[in-house]
Amino acid sequence: MLFEKKKTVVLTVGGMMCQHCAGRVKEALEKVAGVKSAVVDLDAGTATVVCKESADEAAMRAAVVEAGFAVV
């Protein structure tokens, strides 16, 4: 599809202590199918993900958990 709809998902991430942690979360999220980009805000404890409308939010949560953090 040439112009697939996009959505924005905001996840609250627990356990991040430094920029390295935030980088691990960003990297994990950007490997999920359908994710276009992820911006992680360490101070706010959030990850804002821009993805295809069809992207699986459960897969995003699982990626964060696999990276060693919690989705709260």
Side-chain angles (χ1 to χ4, degrees):
M1 182 182 284
L2 187 58
F3 296 105
E4 184 162 350
K5 292 183 180 179
K6 294 179 186 174
K7 66 180 177 181
T8 300
V9 176
V10 179
L11 302 173
T12 301
V13 180
M16 294 187 298
M17 304 297 241
C18 63
Q19 286 300 327
H20 177 73
C21 295
R24 286 181 51 203
V25 171
K26 175 181 172 63
E27 184 178 316
L29 286 168
E30 289 181 342
K31 289 181 181 178
V32 175
V35 171
K36 300 293 186 186
S37 66
V39 176
V40 179
D41 184 331
L42 178 63
D43 294 331
T46 60
T48 303
V49 182
V50 175
C51 55
K52 293 180 180 178
E53 196 169 83
S54 60
D56 184 5
E57 290 183 41
M60 292 178 219
R61 288 192 214 48
V64 171
V65 171
E66 279 185 33
F69 303 93
V71 178
V72 292

